[in-house]
Amino acid sequence: MPNFQTVRGMRDLIGKEAQTFIRIITKAQETASLFGFKEVFTPHVEHLELLSAKTGDEICQRMFVFEDLGKRQVALRPEFTASIARLVTSTLRTEPKPLKLFSVGTVYRYDEPQRGRYREFWQSNFELIGADKPEADTELILLTNKLMQTLGLQGYAFKIGHIGIIKEILSQDDVDEKTQNAILQRMDKKEYESALKLVTSEKCRGTLQSLIDLKGNNWRDTIEQINVIVSDYEKAKIALENLTEILTIVTSSAEISLTVEPAFARGLEYYTGMIFEVYIPQLEIALGGGGRYDRLVEAFGGESTFAVGCAHGIDRIAIALQTQNVAHMPKAGLDVVVIPITESVKVDALKIAQMLRDRGVSTGFELLGRKMGKALEAADKHDFDYAVIVGERELCMGSIVIKDLKKREQTTVLITELFEKLGVK
Ligand code: AMP
């Protein structure tokens, strides 16, 4: 038997779920526009060389890689950032900075499928290139906040950290970059014990352990405590100052719920500064996340460029909306179906359907030539609000019959009064 199911980890989106995705994508596009991000479309397939240039080792191992018919080694994009870096170092190289780019679409990772984890999933992605100021970091948190808020999500909260704090502690204790990345990856998975095993200096292990143990809701208190823990680490203190400045700006510009977690790391190893994720209380999976990665563009052969970005998982946001019962919005307009009673009035009925569509009314037409009873039964199942019934007798008098399918009432009205009767402006 041929296998005609979707490939493992990939899904069809239909009906209300598809509608929810469209709503999230539209809100992400509106948010991009509000914050001055320009939308760009890049290919789903890129050279393997590009995608593996600096993406975290872990993601590299989970890419869908193949050889095309021209024997090129290519892969499905596991994220947008590499494609954006390609653009920034080529076509958009001379564009005035900062560059603010937005993309939305599917990305592909060979993850182990489970609820909220797919192999094909949708992201909305924001990249802000060429700005080193904390205001730039702030924009990414604020736009994520705005997106969550406009989608109607309740009780969402940000988890914020700064990769510079951990990296500078490790650097001061001479831990090489490769080991640093291995440690961060383990910390990302909350495998703290195994992460600390890679640290030889006892003092450094103790410092990291104190950061791991630190929990608290008031971010100012947490910052104070981190300050004490890293008092011997000059560069880590600079990273902490940067984080403090970002948080001060964020909290004074918006109502926002956040916690600071100094031992928080993110899977992608290219981060250099502030990192964040956003959650709702009912779900343990992050709805989105991002951070600063000032050395990324350089890794793609470009000049040293400041960069900060974030991505939101649309599939997970859809789950969050469902969990909080805000996934389905009431219908915006009417759904009308036009039914001709006989062949002879088909053309007139089609004209009426066209008239409705020209006025912006979503209009269906009885396409199967069913008898009135069956056509109305089908209209009910399709959840139409009104049926416009076109019959020869009424048509002679310039009229049609409108049937309100919810109230089960019908009236004969002049065609000239159709819009008024339907309440169409
Ligand atoms: P990342 O690109 O890893 O920073 O992820 C950004 C966001 O994409 C995460 O916060 C998730 O919401 C979403 N995401 C990551 N991996 C998956 C996956 N396998 N399936 C669905 N969503 C994902």
Side-chain angles (χ1 to χ4, degrees), residues 9 11 59 62 78-81 107-125 266-268 270-271 276-279 285-290 310-317:
R11 309 183 293 155
I59 286 197
R62 293 185 279 134
E79 51 167 357
F80 286 97
T81 310
V107 295
Y108 301 82
R109 294 182 199 168
Y110 206 79
D111 278 332
E112 202 39 45
Q114 49 185 276
R115 186 164 182 246
R117 190 173 292 282
Y118 309 99
R119 289 183 177 168
E120 176 185 69
F121 58 97
W122 288 74
Q123 282 189 336
S124 63
N125 186 79
R266 297 206 77 226
L268 309 180
Y270 48 60
Y271 290 111
F276 74 92
E277 276 178 352
V278 64
Y279 290 85
I285 42 179
L287 305 185
C310 69
H312 311 116
I314 293 175
D315 305 67
R316 291 188 184 179
I317 294 175

CSV table of all heavy atoms in Angstrom, one decimal, residues 9 11 59 62 78-81 107-125 266-268 270-271 276-279 285-290 310-317, ligand 1:
chain,number,residue,atom,x,y,z
A,9,GLY,N,5.5,14.4,11.6
A,9,GLY,CA,5.8,15.7,12.1
A,9,GLY,C,5.3,16.8,11.3
A,9,GLY,O,5.6,18.0,11.6
A,11,ARG,N,1.8,18.6,9.1
A,11,ARG,CA,0.4,18.6,9.3
A,11,ARG,C,-0.4,19.3,8.2
A,11,ARG,O,0.2,20.2,7.6
A,11,ARG,CB,0.0,19.3,10.6
A,11,ARG,CG,0.7,18.8,11.8
A,11,ARG,CD,0.2,19.5,13.1
A,11,ARG,NE,0.5,20.9,13.1
A,11,ARG,CZ,-0.2,21.8,13.8
A,11,ARG,NH1,-1.2,21.4,14.5
A,11,ARG,NH2,0.2,23.1,13.8
A,59,ILE,N,21.0,22.4,15.8
A,59,ILE,CA,20.0,22.6,14.7
A,59,ILE,C,20.5,22.0,13.4
A,59,ILE,O,19.8,21.4,12.7
A,59,ILE,CB,19.6,24.0,14.6
A,59,ILE,CG1,18.6,24.4,15.7
A,59,ILE,CG2,18.9,24.3,13.2
A,59,ILE,CD1,17.8,25.7,15.5
A,62,ARG,N,19.7,18.6,12.8
A,62,ARG,CA,18.3,18.2,12.6
A,62,ARG,C,17.7,18.9,11.4
A,62,ARG,O,16.5,19.1,11.3
A,62,ARG,CB,17.5,18.7,13.9
A,62,ARG,CG,17.9,18.0,15.1
A,62,ARG,CD,17.1,18.4,16.3
A,62,ARG,NE,17.5,19.6,16.9
A,62,ARG,CZ,16.8,20.6,17.3
A,62,ARG,NH1,15.5,20.6,17.0
A,62,ARG,NH2,17.3,21.7,17.8
A,78,PRO,N,16.0,25.8,8.6
A,78,PRO,CA,15.5,25.4,9.9
A,78,PRO,C,15.1,26.6,10.7
A,78,PRO,O,14.6,26.5,11.9
A,78,PRO,CB,16.7,24.7,10.6
A,78,PRO,CG,17.9,25.4,9.9
A,78,PRO,CD,17.4,25.8,8.5
A,79,GLU,N,15.4,27.8,10.2
A,79,GLU,CA,15.0,29.1,10.8
A,79,GLU,C,15.2,30.2,9.7
A,79,GLU,O,15.7,29.9,8.6
A,79,GLU,CB,16.0,29.4,12.0
A,79,GLU,CG,17.4,29.2,11.6
A,79,GLU,CD,18.4,29.7,12.5
A,79,GLU,OE1,18.0,30.3,13.5
A,79,GLU,OE2,19.6,29.6,12.3
A,80,PHE,N,14.9,31.4,10.0
A,80,PHE,CA,15.0,32.5,9.0
A,80,PHE,C,16.4,33.2,9.1
A,80,PHE,O,16.8,33.8,8.1
A,80,PHE,CB,13.9,33.5,9.2
A,80,PHE,CG,12.6,33.1,8.8
A,80,PHE,CD1,11.7,32.5,9.7
A,80,PHE,CD2,12.2,33.1,7.5
A,80,PHE,CE1,10.4,32.1,9.3
A,80,PHE,CE2,10.9,32.7,7.1
A,80,PHE,CZ,10.0,32.2,8.0
A,81,THR,N,17.0,33.1,10.2
A,81,THR,CA,18.1,34.0,10.5
A,81,THR,C,19.3,33.9,9.4
A,81,THR,O,19.8,34.9,9.0
A,81,THR,CB,18.7,33.8,11.9
A,81,THR,OG1,17.5,33.9,12.8
A,81,THR,CG2,19.6,34.9,12.3
A,107,VAL,N,9.3,26.6,8.6
A,107,VAL,CA,10.7,26.2,8.8
A,107,VAL,C,10.7,24.7,9.2
A,107,VAL,O,9.6,24.2,9.5
A,107,VAL,CB,11.4,27.1,9.9
A,107,VAL,CG1,11.6,28.5,9.5
A,107,VAL,CG2,10.8,27.0,11.2
A,108,TYR,N,11.8,24.1,9.0
A,108,TYR,CA,11.9,22.6,9.1
A,108,TYR,C,13.0,22.1,10.0
A,108,TYR,O,14.1,22.5,9.9
A,108,TYR,CB,12.1,22.0,7.7
A,108,TYR,CG,11.0,22.5,6.8
A,108,TYR,CD1,11.0,23.7,6.1
A,108,TYR,CD2,9.9,21.7,6.5
A,108,TYR,CE1,10.0,24.2,5.3
A,108,TYR,CE2,8.8,22.1,5.7
A,108,TYR,CZ,8.9,23.4,5.1
A,108,TYR,OH,7.9,23.8,4.3
A,109,ARG,N,12.6,21.3,11.0
A,109,ARG,CA,13.6,20.7,11.9
A,109,ARG,C,13.2,19.3,12.2
A,109,ARG,O,12.0,19.0,12.5
A,109,ARG,CB,13.7,21.5,13.2
A,109,ARG,CG,14.2,22.9,13.1
A,109,ARG,CD,14.3,23.6,14.4
A,109,ARG,NE,14.4,25.1,14.2
A,109,ARG,CZ,14.3,26.0,15.1
A,109,ARG,NH1,14.1,25.6,16.4
A,109,ARG,NH2,14.3,27.3,14.8
A,110,TYR,N,14.2,18.4,12.2
A,110,TYR,CA,13.9,17.0,12.5
A,110,TYR,C,13.8,16.8,14.0
A,110,TYR,O,14.6,16.1,14.6
A,110,TYR,CB,15.0,16.1,11.8
A,110,TYR,CG,14.5,14.7,11.5
A,110,TYR,CD1,13.7,14.5,10.4
A,110,TYR,CD2,14.8,13.7,12.3
A,110,TYR,CE1,13.2,13.3,10.1
A,110,TYR,CE2,14.3,12.4,12.1
A,110,TYR,CZ,13.5,12.2,10.9
A,110,TYR,OH,13.0,11.0,10.7
A,111,ASP,N,12.9,17.5,14.6
A,111,ASP,CA,12.6,17.3,16.0
A,111,ASP,C,11.8,16.1,16.3
A,111,ASP,O,11.1,15.6,15.4
A,111,ASP,CB,11.8,18.5,16.6
A,111,ASP,CG,12.7,19.7,16.8
A,111,ASP,OD1,13.9,19.5,17.1
A,111,ASP,OD2,12.2,20.9,16.7
A,112,GLU,N,11.8,15.6,17.5
A,112,GLU,CA,10.9,14.5,17.9
A,112,GLU,C,9.5,15.0,18.1
A,112,GLU,O,9.2,15.8,19.0
A,112,GLU,CB,11.4,13.8,19.2
A,112,GLU,CG,11.0,12.4,19.4
A,112,GLU,CD,11.0,11.5,18.2
A,112,GLU,OE1,12.0,11.6,17.4
A,112,GLU,OE2,10.0,10.8,18.0
A,113,PRO,N,8.5,14.6,17.2
A,113,PRO,CA,7.2,15.2,17.2
A,113,PRO,C,6.5,14.9,18.5
A,113,PRO,O,6.5,13.8,19.1
A,113,PRO,CB,6.5,14.5,16.1
A,113,PRO,CG,7.5,14.0,15.2
A,113,PRO,CD,8.7,13.6,16.1
A,114,GLN,N,5.8,15.9,19.0
A,114,GLN,CA,4.9,15.9,20.2
A,114,GLN,C,4.1,17.1,20.2
A,114,GLN,O,4.2,17.9,19.2
A,114,GLN,CB,5.7,15.8,21.5
A,114,GLN,CG,6.8,16.8,21.6
A,114,GLN,CD,7.7,16.7,22.8
A,114,GLN,OE1,7.3,17.2,23.8
A,114,GLN,NE2,8.8,16.0,22.7
A,115,ARG,N,3.2,17.2,21.1
A,115,ARG,CA,2.3,18.4,21.1
A,115,ARG,C,3.1,19.7,21.1
A,115,ARG,O,4.0,19.9,22.0
A,115,ARG,CB,1.4,18.4,22.3
A,115,ARG,CG,0.3,19.5,22.3
A,115,ARG,CD,-0.8,19.2,23.3
A,115,ARG,NE,-1.8,20.2,23.3
A,115,ARG,CZ,-2.0,21.0,24.2
A,115,ARG,NH1,-1.3,21.0,25.4
A,115,ARG,NH2,-3.0,21.9,24.1
A,116,GLY,N,2.9,20.5,20.2
A,116,GLY,CA,3.7,21.8,20.1
A,116,GLY,C,5.1,21.6,19.5
A,116,GLY,O,5.8,22.6,19.5
A,117,ARG,N,5.4,20.5,19.1
A,117,ARG,CA,6.7,20.3,18.4
A,117,ARG,C,6.5,19.5,17.1
A,117,ARG,O,6.1,18.3,17.2
A,117,ARG,CB,7.6,19.5,19.4
A,117,ARG,CG,9.1,19.4,19.0
A,117,ARG,CD,10.0,18.8,20.0
A,117,ARG,NE,10.1,19.6,21.2
A,117,ARG,CZ,10.9,20.7,21.3
A,117,ARG,NH1,11.6,21.1,20.3
A,117,ARG,NH2,10.9,21.4,22.4
A,118,TYR,N,6.8,20.2,16.0
A,118,TYR,CA,6.6,19.6,14.7
A,118,TYR,C,7.8,19.6,13.9
A,118,TYR,O,8.8,20.2,14.3
A,118,TYR,CB,5.4,20.3,14.0
A,118,TYR,CG,4.2,20.5,14.9
A,118,TYR,CD1,4.0,21.7,15.6
A,118,TYR,CD2,3.3,19.4,15.1
A,118,TYR,CE1,2.9,21.8,16.4
A,118,TYR,CE2,2.2,19.5,15.9
A,118,TYR,CZ,2.0,20.7,16.6
A,118,TYR,OH,1.0,20.8,17.4
A,119,ARG,N,7.8,18.9,12.8
A,119,ARG,CA,9.0,19.0,11.9
A,119,ARG,C,8.8,20.1,10.8
A,119,ARG,O,9.8,20.6,10.3
A,119,ARG,CB,9.2,17.6,11.3
A,119,ARG,CG,9.7,16.6,12.3
A,119,ARG,CD,10.1,15.3,11.8
A,119,ARG,NE,10.6,14.5,12.9
A,119,ARG,CZ,10.8,13.2,12.8
A,119,ARG,NH1,10.5,12.5,11.7
A,119,ARG,NH2,11.2,12.5,13.9
A,120,GLU,N,7.6,20.4,10.5
A,120,GLU,CA,7.3,21.6,9.7
A,120,GLU,C,6.5,22.5,10.6
A,120,GLU,O,5.5,22.0,11.1
A,120,GLU,CB,6.5,21.3,8.5
A,120,GLU,CG,6.2,22.5,7.7
A,120,GLU,CD,5.3,22.2,6.5
A,120,GLU,OE1,4.1,21.9,6.7
A,120,GLU,OE2,5.8,22.4,5.3
A,121,PHE,N,7.0,23.7,10.9
A,121,PHE,CA,6.2,24.6,11.7
A,121,PHE,C,6.3,26.0,11.2
A,121,PHE,O,7.2,26.3,10.4
A,121,PHE,CB,6.5,24.4,13.2
A,121,PHE,CG,8.0,24.7,13.5
A,121,PHE,CD1,8.4,25.9,14.0
A,121,PHE,CD2,8.9,23.7,13.4
A,121,PHE,CE1,9.7,26.2,14.4
A,121,PHE,CE2,10.3,23.9,13.7
A,121,PHE,CZ,10.6,25.2,14.2
A,122,TRP,N,5.4,26.9,11.7
A,122,TRP,CA,5.4,28.3,11.2
A,122,TRP,C,6.0,29.2,12.2
A,122,TRP,O,5.8,29.0,13.4
A,122,TRP,CB,3.9,28.7,11.0
A,122,TRP,CG,3.3,28.1,9.8
A,122,TRP,CD1,2.9,26.8,9.7
A,122,TRP,CD2,3.0,28.7,8.6
A,122,TRP,NE1,2.3,26.6,8.5
A,122,TRP,CE2,2.3,27.8,7.8
A,122,TRP,CE3,3.1,30.0,8.1
A,122,TRP,CZ2,1.9,28.1,6.5
A,122,TRP,CZ3,2.7,30.3,6.8
A,122,TRP,CH2,2.1,29.3,6.0
A,123,GLN,N,6.8,30.1,11.7
A,123,GLN,CA,7.4,31.2,12.6
A,123,GLN,C,7.1,32.6,12.0
A,123,GLN,O,7.0,32.7,10.8
A,123,GLN,CB,8.9,31.0,12.7
A,123,GLN,CG,9.3,29.9,13.6
A,123,GLN,CD,10.8,29.9,13.8
A,123,GLN,OE1,11.6,30.5,13.0
A,123,GLN,NE2,11.3,29.4,15.0
A,124,SER,N,6.9,33.5,12.9
A,124,SER,CA,7.0,34.9,12.4
A,124,SER,C,8.4,35.4,13.0
A,124,SER,O,8.6,35.2,14.2
A,124,SER,CB,5.9,35.8,12.9
A,124,SER,OG,5.8,35.8,14.3
A,125,ASN,N,9.2,36.0,12.2
A,125,ASN,CA,10.5,36.3,12.5
A,125,ASN,C,10.9,37.8,12.3
A,125,ASN,O,10.6,38.3,11.3
A,125,ASN,CB,11.4,35.4,11.6
A,125,ASN,CG,12.9,35.5,12.0
A,125,ASN,OD1,13.3,34.8,12.9
A,125,ASN,ND2,13.7,36.3,11.3
A,266,ARG,N,19.7,29.7,25.6
A,266,ARG,CA,18.8,29.2,24.4
A,266,ARG,C,19.6,28.4,23.5
A,266,ARG,O,20.8,28.5,23.4
A,266,ARG,CB,18.3,30.4,23.7
A,266,ARG,CG,17.4,31.4,24.5
A,266,ARG,CD,16.4,32.1,23.6
A,266,ARG,NE,15.3,31.3,23.2
A,266,ARG,CZ,14.9,31.2,21.9
A,266,ARG,NH1,15.4,31.9,21.0
A,266,ARG,NH2,13.9,30.4,21.6
A,267,GLY,N,18.9,27.4,22.9
A,267,GLY,CA,19.6,26.4,22.0
A,267,GLY,C,20.6,26.9,21.0
A,267,GLY,O,21.6,26.4,20.7
A,268,LEU,N,20.2,28.0,20.3
A,268,LEU,CA,21.0,28.5,19.3
A,268,LEU,C,22.3,29.2,19.8
A,268,LEU,O,22.2,30.1,20.7
A,268,LEU,CB,20.3,29.5,18.4
A,268,LEU,CG,18.9,29.0,17.9
A,268,LEU,CD1,18.2,30.1,17.1
A,268,LEU,CD2,19.0,27.7,17.2
A,270,TYR,N,24.5,31.2,18.7
A,270,TYR,CA,25.0,32.4,18.2
A,270,TYR,C,24.7,33.6,19.1
A,270,TYR,O,25.1,34.7,18.8
A,270,TYR,CB,24.7,32.7,16.8
A,270,TYR,CG,23.3,32.5,16.3
A,270,TYR,CD1,22.2,33.2,16.9
A,270,TYR,CD2,22.9,31.6,15.3
A,270,TYR,CE1,20.9,33.1,16.5
A,270,TYR,CE2,21.6,31.4,14.9
A,270,TYR,CZ,20.6,32.2,15.5
A,270,TYR,OH,19.3,32.0,15.1
A,271,TYR,N,23.9,33.4,20.1
A,271,TYR,CA,23.6,34.6,21.0
A,271,TYR,C,24.8,35.2,21.7
A,271,TYR,O,25.7,34.4,22.1
A,271,TYR,CB,22.5,34.2,22.0
A,271,TYR,CG,21.2,33.9,21.4
A,271,TYR,CD1,20.6,32.6,21.3
A,271,TYR,CD2,20.5,35.0,20.8
A,271,TYR,CE1,19.4,32.4,20.7
A,271,TYR,CE2,19.3,34.7,20.2
A,271,TYR,CZ,18.7,33.4,20.1
A,271,TYR,OH,17.5,33.2,19.5
A,276,PHE,N,15.6,36.1,25.5
A,276,PHE,CA,14.2,36.0,26.1
A,276,PHE,C,13.4,35.0,25.5
A,276,PHE,O,13.6,34.5,24.4
A,276,PHE,CB,13.5,37.4,26.1
A,276,PHE,CG,13.0,37.8,24.7
A,276,PHE,CD1,11.6,37.4,24.4
A,276,PHE,CD2,13.7,38.4,23.8
A,276,PHE,CE1,11.1,37.7,23.1
A,276,PHE,CE2,13.2,38.7,22.5
A,276,PHE,CZ,11.9,38.4,22.2
A,277,GLU,N,12.4,34.6,26.3
A,277,GLU,CA,11.3,33.7,25.8
A,277,GLU,C,10.0,34.1,26.4
A,277,GLU,O,10.0,34.8,27.5
A,277,GLU,CB,11.6,32.2,26.2
A,277,GLU,CG,12.5,31.5,25.3
A,277,GLU,CD,12.9,30.1,25.6
A,277,GLU,OE1,12.6,29.6,26.7
A,277,GLU,OE2,13.5,29.5,24.7
A,278,VAL,N,8.9,33.8,25.8
A,278,VAL,CA,7.6,34.1,26.3
A,278,VAL,C,6.7,32.9,26.5
A,278,VAL,O,6.7,32.0,25.6
A,278,VAL,CB,6.9,35.3,25.5
A,278,VAL,CG1,6.6,34.8,24.1
A,278,VAL,CG2,5.7,35.8,26.1
A,279,TYR,N,6.0,32.9,27.6
A,279,TYR,CA,5.2,31.7,28.0
A,279,TYR,C,3.8,32.1,28.4
A,279,TYR,O,3.6,33.2,28.9
A,279,TYR,CB,5.8,31.0,29.2
A,279,TYR,CG,7.1,30.3,28.9
A,279,TYR,CD1,8.3,31.0,28.9
A,279,TYR,CD2,7.1,28.9,28.5
A,279,TYR,CE1,9.5,30.3,28.6
A,279,TYR,CE2,8.3,28.3,28.3
A,279,TYR,CZ,9.5,29.0,28.3
A,279,TYR,OH,10.7,28.3,28.0
A,285,ILE,N,5.7,25.0,27.0
A,285,ILE,CA,6.5,25.3,25.8
A,285,ILE,C,6.5,26.8,25.5
A,285,ILE,O,5.5,27.4,25.7
A,285,ILE,CB,6.0,24.5,24.6
A,285,ILE,CG1,4.5,24.5,24.6
A,285,ILE,CG2,6.6,23.1,24.7
A,285,ILE,CD1,3.9,23.8,23.4
A,286,ALA,N,7.7,27.3,25.1
A,286,ALA,CA,7.8,28.7,24.8
A,286,ALA,C,7.0,29.1,23.5
A,286,ALA,O,7.0,28.3,22.5
A,286,ALA,CB,9.3,29.1,24.6
A,287,LEU,N,6.3,30.2,23.5
A,287,LEU,CA,5.6,30.6,22.3
A,287,LEU,C,6.5,31.4,21.4
A,287,LEU,O,6.2,31.6,20.2
A,287,LEU,CB,4.4,31.5,22.8
A,287,LEU,CG,3.4,30.9,23.8
A,287,LEU,CD1,2.3,31.9,24.0
A,287,LEU,CD2,2.9,29.6,23.3
A,288,GLY,N,7.6,31.9,21.9
A,288,GLY,CA,8.5,32.7,21.1
A,288,GLY,C,9.8,33.0,21.9
A,288,GLY,O,9.8,32.8,23.1
A,289,GLY,N,10.8,33.4,21.2
A,289,GLY,CA,12.0,33.8,21.9
A,289,GLY,C,13.0,34.4,20.9
A,289,GLY,O,12.8,34.4,19.7
A,290,GLY,N,14.0,35.0,21.5
A,290,GLY,CA,15.0,35.6,20.7
A,290,GLY,C,16.1,36.2,21.5
A,290,GLY,O,16.3,35.9,22.7
A,310,CYS,N,14.1,37.9,16.9
A,310,CYS,CA,13.3,37.0,17.6
A,310,CYS,C,12.3,36.2,16.7
A,310,CYS,O,12.1,36.7,15.6
A,310,CYS,CB,12.5,37.6,18.8
A,310,CYS,SG,11.2,38.7,18.2
A,311,ALA,N,11.9,35.1,17.1
A,311,ALA,CA,10.9,34.3,16.3
A,311,ALA,C,9.8,33.8,17.2
A,311,ALA,O,10.0,33.5,18.4
A,311,ALA,CB,11.6,33.1,15.7
A,312,HIS,N,8.6,33.8,16.7
A,312,HIS,CA,7.4,33.3,17.4
A,312,HIS,C,6.9,32.1,16.7
A,312,HIS,O,6.8,32.0,15.5
A,312,HIS,CB,6.3,34.4,17.4
A,312,HIS,CG,6.8,35.7,17.8
A,312,HIS,ND1,6.8,36.8,17.0
A,312,HIS,CD2,7.4,36.2,18.9
A,312,HIS,CE1,7.3,37.9,17.6
A,312,HIS,NE2,7.7,37.5,18.8
A,313,GLY,N,6.6,31.1,17.5
A,313,GLY,CA,6.1,29.8,17.0
A,313,GLY,C,4.6,29.9,16.8
A,313,GLY,O,3.8,29.9,17.8
A,314,ILE,N,4.2,30.0,15.6
A,314,ILE,CA,2.7,30.2,15.3
A,314,ILE,C,1.9,29.0,15.7
A,314,ILE,O,0.8,29.1,16.2
A,314,ILE,CB,2.5,30.6,13.8
A,314,ILE,CG1,3.2,32.0,13.6
A,314,ILE,CG2,1.1,30.6,13.4
A,314,ILE,CD1,3.2,32.5,12.2
A,315,ASP,N,2.4,27.8,15.4
A,315,ASP,CA,1.7,26.6,15.8
A,315,ASP,C,1.4,26.6,17.3
A,315,ASP,O,0.4,26.2,17.8
A,315,ASP,CB,2.5,25.3,15.5
A,315,ASP,CG,2.9,25.3,14.0
A,315,ASP,OD1,3.7,26.1,13.6
A,315,ASP,OD2,2.4,24.4,13.3
A,316,ARG,N,2.4,27.0,18.1
A,316,ARG,CA,2.3,27.0,19.5
A,316,ARG,C,1.4,28.1,20.0
A,316,ARG,O,0.6,28.0,21.0
A,316,ARG,CB,3.7,27.2,20.2
A,316,ARG,CG,4.5,25.9,20.0
A,316,ARG,CD,5.7,26.0,20.8
A,316,ARG,NE,6.6,24.9,20.5
A,316,ARG,CZ,7.8,24.7,21.1
A,316,ARG,NH1,8.2,25.7,22.0
A,316,ARG,NH2,8.5,23.7,20.8
A,317,ILE,N,1.4,29.3,19.3
A,317,ILE,CA,0.5,30.4,19.7
A,317,ILE,C,-0.9,29.9,19.4
A,317,ILE,O,-1.8,30.2,20.2
A,317,ILE,CB,0.8,31.6,18.9
A,317,ILE,CG1,2.2,32.2,19.3
A,317,ILE,CG2,-0.2,32.7,19.1
A,317,ILE,CD1,2.7,33.4,18.5
B,1,AMP,P1,14.0,29.2,17.9
B,1,AMP,O1,14.0,29.5,16.4
B,1,AMP,O2,14.5,27.9,18.3
B,1,AMP,O3,14.5,30.4,18.7
B,1,AMP,O4,12.4,29.1,18.2
B,1,AMP,C1,11.5,30.2,18.2
B,1,AMP,C2,10.1,29.6,18.5
B,1,AMP,O5,9.7,28.7,17.5
B,1,AMP,C3,10.0,28.8,19.8
B,1,AMP,O6,9.8,29.7,20.9
B,1,AMP,C4,8.8,28.0,19.5
B,1,AMP,O7,7.6,28.7,19.8
B,1,AMP,C5,8.9,27.7,18.0
B,1,AMP,N1,9.4,26.4,17.8
B,1,AMP,C6,10.7,26.0,17.9
B,1,AMP,N2,10.8,24.7,17.5
B,1,AMP,C7,9.6,24.2,17.2
B,1,AMP,C8,9.0,23.0,16.8
B,1,AMP,N3,9.7,21.9,16.5
B,1,AMP,N4,7.6,22.9,16.6
B,1,AMP,C9,6.9,24.0,16.7
B,1,AMP,N5,7.3,25.2,17.1
B,1,AMP,C10,8.7,25.3,17.4
